[in-house]
Amino acid sequence: MDSVFYIVIAAMALIVVLLRFKVMMGISILCGGLFIWLFESRSFPDLWEAAIQAAKIQRNWDLIFCLYFVMCLEVELRTSGSLSGLVKTFRNIFSSNKVTLAVMPAFLGLLPSMGGARFSAPIVEEASQGIVVNAEQKSVINLWFRHIFEFSNPLMPGMILACGIANVTIQDLIIQVGWVTILCFVLGWILLVQPLKIVDKEKATNTTNDRDIDWKSLFLAFGPIIASFLLIVSFGISAAISMGLVVVGFIPIFYAFGRKIPIKNVFLESLDVKLLVNVVLILYFIQLLTITGILDEIVNAFNSSFLPQEVIVAALAFIFGLMTGQSQGYIAVVIPIVALMSPGNILLVATAMVFGLAGQMMTPVHLCILVTVEYFKANMWNVIGRCGFISLVMLICYSAWTYFRYYLF
């Protein structure tokens, strides 16, 4: 095995050990980055340069402020009663909170937002009433269903980036890999939601045949999402500015609907310093991976091997999914390789996206895992283990289907 892989494995092991000893996540991940720096660079100017580069990247600031405003919006929806009204309405429509547990994170996942799992988490918490479900189970449900549209939503930044680099159309890519969205929903329902036991039918199901719809709560819950979507997609406004405008703009609307909210608390309660520090340190870690050149070393190691193209692409996507925790991260590294290895090969692009997401769902660097675990106060490694299991099942199903379709028939 090339020495670069020993370094990466050792760095990941260090992160695991530190997290086991309850060291703050951001610090643990930073230590892993410094470990890589120690073996790959040992140049102190590189440490400073990584910080400068991370601070200059616009999307990093966009991410931080977007996450803050997402938390502000969650406080608005929760304190105004809109979240509870939304869950009640969905229970009336679907008759069971189990459906709401799966549908709501999936629906909110249609709106691209890094760390957006923080927005769907309170809804999962609300919908879990009357059901035996622990913090880890709620975390995995929130994480899994939120990401099922990565393969079929044409507005996902990762999909747009992949198609642009590989020179394939979004329509063709969705036709190729969109079925994985259905697969992920079915797996999530069978493995995560269906086994849950209802212990309080009054809270978890609609036992009164009440089909009333709380239109005010529906509007106040979905209005900000739709407004953010339009600002980001139709007008090209950054996610952070869009979310800020929505948070401020909907304050008078809440009051107009008779839903008073504590304005001061909206902005102060959302200032989760620990979470924001963790995010900043993770972004610095990602920049350290770039500045030390270890990402390039991994790519070169695979390119010099005699493995089949499909295996190389799958392995690279999975590794960079683990290391970056971002779809844009593994796509930015792996898809250019695909474009050089086999121009226009949509199967390789699809394989990179599926295996990359699997890696992304199994790493503490993934921002959605961070914010979800923080919200539910769940055990990080239990959550990652559960996500890893269902991701493995997804990979087996995808690989088996691809093998039978392309190599046996």
Side-chain angles (χ1 to χ4, degrees):
M1 184 186 291
D2 197 285
S3 61
V4 66
F5 294 107
Y6 289 116
I7 295 173
V8 171
I9 292 171
M12 290 299 173
L14 174 62
I15 293 173
V16 170
V17 171
L18 291 175
L19 288 172
R20 285 289 188 183
F21 280 94
K22 309 298 183 182
V23 177
M24 196 170 82
M25 184 181 301
I27 294 177
S28 299
I29 292 171
L30 175 62
C31 288
L34 293 175
F35 181 88
I36 292 174
W37 166 83
L38 186 63
F39 281 88
E40 289 291 302
S41 172
R42 292 187 295 279
S43 169
F44 285 98
D46 279 353
L47 294 177
W48 177 248
E49 182 62 24
I52 294 298
Q53 288 186 12
K56 287 182 177 179
I57 297 176
Q58 179 62 40
R59 69 173 181 271
N60 287 348
W61 292 104
D62 194 44
L63 186 157
I64 292 170
F65 282 103
C66 180
L67 180 58
Y68 169 68
F69 286 126
V70 164
M71 291 188 287
C72 289
L73 182 58
E74 182 269 318
V75 174
E76 287 183 346
L77 295 177
R78 174 166 46 82
T79 56
S80 68
S82 300
L83 281 181
S84 57
L86 179 67
V87 172
K88 180 180 178 182
T89 293
F90 268 78
R91 186 178 65 178
N92 289 347
I93 295 173
F94 296 117
S95 297
S96 173
N97 277 8
K98 277 189 173 184
V99 180
T100 305
L101 279 174
V103 171
M104 285 309 301
F107 180 84
L108 295 176
L110 287 169
L111 178 64
S113 172
M114 295 198 66
R118 179 61 175 77
F119 184 59
S120 53
I123 297 180
V124 170
E125 179 69 45
E126 187 76 26
S128 65
Q129 301 301 311
I131 302 175
V132 179
V133 52
N134 59 36
E136 284 73 30
Q137 289 172 310
K138 285 184 281 191
S139 297
V140 178
I141 288 171
N142 186 50
L143 287 165
W144 184 257
F145 285 101
R146 177 168 177 80
H147 290 87
I148 66 173
F149 284 108
E150 291 282 343
F151 314 105
S152 55
N153 184 359
L155 300 176
M156 287 293 178
M159 176 169 286
I160 296 172
L161 181 62
C163 291
I165 296 174
N167 196 27
V168 298
T169 68
I170 292 179
Q171 180 184 10
D172 287 342
L173 184 57
I174 291 177
I175 292 174
Q176 175 70 33
V177 77
W179 65 272
V180 180
T181 289
I182 300 174
L183 170 66
C184 288
F185 185 87
V186 172
L187 290 177
W189 183 263
I190 294 174
L191 297 176
L192 302 177
V193 179
Q194 186 60 37
L196 299 178
K197 294 182 179 179
I198 294 176
V199 291
D200 189 334
K201 289 187 176 181
E202 198 66 37
K203 290 182 178 180
T205 61
N206 181 7
T207 58
T208 63
N209 292 319
D210 181 10
R211 292 292 181 263
D212 289 341
I213 297 177
D214 185 348
W215 292 106
K216 285 186 178 180
S217 292
L218 279 180
F219 172 77
L220 292 175
F222 286 113
I225 298 173
I226 296 172
S228 301
F229 186 89
L230 292 175
L231 289 173
I232 295 170
V233 177
S234 300
F235 297 96
I237 301 175
S238 72
I241 295 176
S242 297
M243 291 303 302
L245 290 173
V246 167
V247 167
V248 175
F250 264 78
I251 290 177
I253 296 177
F254 279 109
Y255 275 87
F257 277 83
R259 304 286 181 90
K260 295 183 179 181
I261 56 176
I263 297 177
K264 183 179 179 180
N265 287 353
V266 167
F267 295 99
L268 293 182
E269 186 180 331
S270 304
L271 194 59
D272 190 333
V273 177
K274 180 182 176 182
L275 176 60
L276 294 176
V277 169
N278 280 336
V279 171
V280 169
L281 293 179
I282 287 174
L283 294 174
Y284 180 65
F285 166 79
I286 294 171
Q287 204 59 39
L288 270 180
L289 298 180
T290 302
I291 205 77
T292 58
I294 197 166
L295 298 183
D296 293 330
E297 289 187 46
I298 293 174
V299 171
N300 293 333
F302 273 109
N303 279 339
S304 62
S305 72
F306 297 98
L307 295 171
Q309 289 183 341
E310 293 80 4
V311 176
I312 292 175
V313 169
L316 282 174
F318 183 79
I319 289 173
F320 285 115
L322 278 173
M323 294 183 69
T324 66
Q326 298 181 19
S327 60
Q328 295 97 320
Y330 63 79
I331 285 173
V333 175
V334 179
I335 300 302
I337 298 174
V338 171
L340 291 173
M341 291 171 58
S342 183
N345 190 327
I346 202 164
L347 173 60
L348 291 183
V349 177
T351 298
M353 294 190 67
V354 174
F355 277 81
L357 180 69
Q360 187 182 352
M361 296 299 291
M362 300 163 63
T363 174
V365 180
H366 185 182
L367 187 57
C368 283
I369 292 180
L370 167 64
V371 298
T372 298
V373 168
E374 287 282 345
Y375 181 84
F376 290 112
K377 309 301 179 186
N379 181 280
M380 165 70 71
W381 296 106
N382 284 345
V383 171
I384 288 180
R386 291 169 185 262
C387 284
F389 174 75
I390 191 170
S391 296
L392 178 61
V393 176
M394 175 191 71
L395 292 181
I396 291 173
C397 293
Y398 173 82
S399 300
W401 168 255
T402 302
Y403 180 75
F404 282 114
R405 181 180 178 185
Y406 290 94
Y407 299 101
L408 290 186
F409 300 101

